[in-house]
Structures are given as C-alpha cells and as structure tokens.
Amino acid sequence: MAHKLDIDALLARLPLFRNLDAAQLALMARASQQVRVAKHQFVFHRGDPANGLYVVAVGGIKLAIPSPSGQEKVIEFFAPGQAFGEAVMFLDKPYMVQAQALEDTLLIWIDKQDIYAAIDHDPSFAKRMLAGLSLRLHALVQDIETINLQNASQRVISFLLKQPREGDQVHFPFNKNVIASKLGLTPETLSRLLHQLSAKNLIRVDGRDVQILDPEALEAQLYGS
Amino acid sequence: MAHKLDIDALLARLPLFRNLDAAQLALMARASQQVRVAKHQFVFHRGDPANGLYVVAVGGIKLAIPSPSGQEKVIEFFAPGQAFGEAVMFLDKPYMVQAQALEDTLLIWIDKQDIYAAIDHDPSFAKRMLAGLSLRLHALVQDIETINLQNASQRVISFLLKQPREGDQVHFPFNKNVIASKLGLTPETLSRLLHQLSAKNLIRVDGRDVQILDPEALEAQLYGS
DNA sequence: CGCTAAGTTGAAAGAAGTCAATGAAAGTGG
DNA sequence: CCACTTTCATTGACTTCTTTCAACTTAGCG
C-alpha cells in the first residue's frame, strides 16, 4: 500500500492534475497503475491499442516511428511530469508510434474511462488537457518547419540553441544516434556537421558536452547562408 | 439579421457543436462573427495574436509556414466544417503559421472566451475539441513520417493513394505548386515524378485530373524500390 | 487577344546518404 | 581490476536524389 501513497503524491505534483480536488485526485490514484520499464524496453509498439495515457514519473521515454528498414524516426522525448499517448486515446486508434525507455523508467498509467470521468467532473482538467495537446501540436509544426525549411546544418544549430544551457555549456541528453534521428539526419552527417562547426570555432565538442563559443555567429548562420 | 440566422444553421451543422443544447448554440451564434475572405487573401499572418478560432463555412483555407526566402511550406488544408486556429488559442501564443484563402471563403470566428464557456458548460464539447486536436496531431505525425521515411516518389504515391477517388479518378483540389509544397517538394520535382509514373503506365495525368491505372503496382512502389 | 500565372523540360550543381573501415568508450564477466 | 565484447562515434570515398536556374509551353482570365 506504500505504492498507492507514492502515486498519490506523484500525481498531485503533475501539472496535468493540478486543479483536481482531493476526491478526484484520489479517484485517479486508485485508477492508475505503476509501470516499470527497464532501459531500452518498449512501453508499446506501433499497432497496439490505446486504452489510456502514460505519465512519466521517473526516467525518460522516446516516441519514434518505426520503419521497415529498421531505422526509426524519433518524434519526441518525454521527461518526468510529461504525459504521452493521450492523442491516440481520444481517437480510438491504435498507436502509430512506439514508445521506448531511454533509461530505467517509472510510468503511471491511467485508464481512458477515468480520464473521461475527470473531464466530466472538472472543466479545468479538460482545458489543461487541451493545452497539453496544443503544446504538442505546436512542437510538431515547429519540427515540420525545421525539417522542410532548414538544411542539415541549420537544423543542428537550431537544436543546439534550443537546448538548455548552463553558462555556455550544452549537454546532449541522449546519444548522438538518437539526436540525429530527431533531427532527421544520419549519425554520419551529424558528426560531420558538428566537426565543421568546431572547425569554424563556433562550438567545441567533447562527447555529449558542447560548448557554445559564439552564439551570435551561430544564430547568424540560420539566416545568412 | 438574416446573417444571424445563417450562422445559427451553419453552427448547428458543424461536428464540433453537435452536442450543444439550443441555448448554448444560440450563445455561440451570438458570439460568433462572419468573416469573408477573398481568394488569396490572408486570414492571419505569422505573429498575429490568437483570440479565438475559425470554422470554415464555405470555401477552403490553407495553413502554411512562411519562410524568409519567400517560399512557404503548406501544413494543412481546411474544408467546410473544419476548425482551425484552436491549438494556438489554448496556448496564448501568437500564430506561427499563416492562413490564406484558396478560394472565396466564408469563415465563422468565435471568441476564446465563448469557447471556454462552452467547455465549462458541456464536457462533451471539450471531448469533441480534444478529439479534433488529436486528429490533427495524428495527421502531423503522419506528415513527419512521410517526410522523413519516404523519398520524393513515394511521397507522391502516398498522396495520390490517399486522395478521395471516384472510380479510378483522382482530382487535385489545388494547383500543383500547393500540392508540391505540402509534399515538401519543388514544383519541378513533382512534375517530373508525375511524368515518370505516367511513363510507367501507372497513372495518366490530365491537368488536375489523375487516373490511377494500377493501384496495386503503385502501392508496391512504397515498399519495393 | 494579350497578359500573367502555372506547368514542363533540360542540364548542372549541391546536399545528404550509403558503404566501409577505423577508433573510442563503455559495459560485462572473470 | 583487467581483458573482452559491444555499442557508439568518426572519417573518407563515392553515389544518388533533389534542387536550382533557365528557357519554353500551356492554360486561364480580364
């Protein structure tokens, strides 16, 4: 029963549930289940039915489109506090993407019926949900923009500039294969481009750590060339 | 005042509002405004604030990302009955896309506050809204899949096969420049690829009318080569 | 009828991908 | 703690696909 308490506390901290009253929250907690996924393990595959949504409690998840040729296109990453799988749940369609743990991860799973109940009970929950989906839509449109309107080098630069920075330091959250896929590049191309940027003294790369030497010059590359 | 009556009838027929009761519908109608847009005219530009959503009553709208170099990337088309602009409304962010009329178009505009009121009043409205957003998200993920995992020829083929068919006839809803942009291609490339498919006797092109001669062989190209 | 927008075609350049070999790092088990 | 294996990353040579630029044709519209 210690488990249940954990879930309660976790849920209460999630942005999605912030406005639920105690009773509603308790209901959610009772309906939800913990799911543990080891690194590299799949949460679901393309084609699986979607009966609920997941919230990341601890760890990290990547959503990707599998391709017949074995490679995959990474769509999005999810960190603790973020929900995924809702969109497909509302459509009664099977997943078109696969979810895989990037590290050992603890997920909360909530059944569709309970989500619907919460929507009926609390309009502000519905709004929160709408805002969540809108945010994702926004991000996807941005991705399409990046893929279509920017060349490989500009995509890498935008990505670098979008990453959270500590001083001038950026740290890749995942290995470069995954980053490359997110950017719609091959690992080889990413490697070459990072090398080029280093050669121009715009950045300095050390494994997953990147030092942004000249942010202005980098930004300029997005328009200039 | 004949205008108001028009709107009432129009709104009642929209999928989005199907579950609203008469009072709520009347409220919506009162709050909504008709917007007329001539062909090629813009409904909004990137950067404009979003204070409500639009529903297409008559005509057609394209959403596109503008690019500094003048070209644009078409994101989506909207036909009568479809709503657009909601996602950004929920986020309190300015539009990141621009909306332009593909033909003379009549739009209904509804203020954000009234949408919120409808959500508060009717959970099923919220669910409908959620389903709408989910559908768009789904479509965008599919677009990303198409762009990333398929080459130009496969993209054209998928597009052809996805279009509504009457017998073996497909009709492009817009000019080929717009289609090309939606597929992430240059008009030249699209032209060449259609020509190639014709040469292989898989299709026959006559202006905006395309005859699908061999759907199976077309489909096979998506995997084989 | 004439003008502008849309579509086609060719030749050439360029960007990114593929294949293959090598090197570095990191995890595993004795 | 070290040797070993496996995964990750880099680099070079080459190929391929798509774009670009330019000329030309066709279609649609005032």
Side-chain angles (χ1 to χ4, degrees), chain B:
Chain B
M1 292 300 102
H3 294 300
K4 289 293 177 194
L5 288 177
D6 280 340
I7 294 188
D8 247 83
L10 259 166
L11 287 185
R13 256 185 282 121
L14 296 179
L16 191 59
F17 302 118
R18 189 139 307 155
N19 278 46
L20 290 187
D21 60 44
Q24 198 63 18
L25 203 58
L27 209 145
M28 278 282 167
R30 216 170 319 126
S32 69
Q33 295 177 22
Q34 281 178 272
V35 180
R36 282 176 194 286
V37 220
K39 183 171 179 172
H40 294 148
Q41 207 188 324
F42 285 92
V43 183
F44 53 75
H45 294 88
R46 171 185 266 224
D48 288 351
N51 306 314
L53 61 78
Y54 292 90
V55 182
V56 180
V58 182
I61 293 287
K62 77 161 189 239
L63 246 54
I65 304 174
S67 105
S69 44
Q71 77 221 40
E72 55 170 33
K73 160 65 186 177
V74 173
I75 299 289
E76 212 156 349
F77 308 115
F78 294 96
Q82 298 188 289
F84 64 94
E86 341 83 298
V88 161
M89 177 189 86
F90 286 117
L91 288 179
D92 287 309
K93 288 192 183 183
Y95 292 111
M96 68 177 305
V97 297
Q98 57 190 203
Q100 192 177 12
L102 288 160
E103 39 194 304
D104 290 354
T105 296
L106 174 63
L107 299 172
I108 314 263
W109 182 85
I110 301 172
D111 189 274
K112 184 176 167 174
Q113 295 313 322
D114 297 304
I115 297 292
Y116 278 144
I119 292 173
D120 290 335
H121 175 266
D122 178 11
S124 86
F125 177 77
K127 283 181 207 156
R128 214 170 278 279
M129 204 97 211
L130 281 165
L133 283 182
S134 298
L135 199 62
R136 295 270 271 296
L137 222 114
H138 209 253
L140 285 182
V141 171
Q142 259 184 313
D143 284 348
I144 291 185
E145 170 171 18
T146 300
I147 295 170
N148 270 286
L149 263 24
Q150 299 187 158
N151 65 28
S153 162
Q154 295 172 320
R155 295 208 288 267
V156 173
I157 294 173
S158 323
F159 179 80
L160 285 173
L161 294 176
K162 253 191 285 185
Q163 289 310 105
R165 244 181 292 178
E166 301 179 9
D168 58 354
Q169 286 291 326
V170 160
H171 181 80
F172 287 156
F174 320 107
N175 74 42
K176 291 183 189 161
N177 288 350
V178 176
I179 309 269
S181 171
K182 175 86 216 293
L183 294 176
L185 301 173
T186 57
E188 291 96 325
T189 303
L190 175 59
S191 175
R192 282 187 251 269
L193 291 172
L194 288 174
H195 184 82
Q196 278 179 31
L197 293 174
S198 297
K200 291 188 198 160
N201 282 316
L202 298 174
I203 63 174
R204 194 173 305 286
V205 184
D206 174 27
R208 287 192 186 177
D209 294 311
V210 181
Q211 195 182 152
I212 310 287
L213 298 176
D214 192 342
E216 291 81 13
L218 275 177
E219 188 127 13
Q221 302 253 328
L222 293 180
Y223 308 99
S225 171

Side-chain angles (χ1 to χ4, degrees), chain A residues 73 146-147 155-156 159 178-185 190, chain B residues 148:
Chain A
K73 159 68 187 176
T146 300
I147 294 170
R155 295 209 290 269
V156 172
F159 178 81
V178 176
I179 309 269
S181 171
K182 175 88 217 293
L183 294 176
L185 302 173
L190 175 60
Chain B
N148 270 286

Side-chain angles (χ1 to χ4, degrees), chain A residues 99-171:
Chain A
Q100 193 177 12
L102 288 161
E103 40 194 304
D104 291 354
T105 296
L106 174 63
L107 299 171
I108 315 263
W109 182 85
I110 301 172
D111 188 274
K112 183 176 167 173
Q113 296 313 323
D114 297 305
I115 297 292
Y116 279 142
I119 292 173
D120 289 335
H121 175 268
D122 178 12
S124 85
F125 178 76
K127 284 181 207 155
R128 213 169 276 282
M129 204 98 210
L130 282 165
L133 282 182
S134 298
L135 198 62
R136 296 271 270 295
L137 223 116
H138 209 255
L140 284 182
V141 170
Q142 259 184 313
D143 283 347
I144 292 184
E145 171 171 17
T146 300
I147 294 170
N148 271 287
L149 264 25
Q150 299 189 158
N151 65 29
S153 162
Q154 293 172 321
R155 295 209 290 269
V156 172
I157 294 172
S158 319
F159 178 81
L160 284 174
L161 294 176
K162 254 191 286 186
Q163 290 309 105
R165 244 181 292 178
E166 300 177 10
D168 58 353
Q169 287 290 326
V170 160
H171 180 82

Side-chain angles (χ1 to χ4, degrees), chain A residues 151-152 188-189 192:
Chain A
N151 65 29
E188 290 96 326
T189 302
R192 280 187 254 268

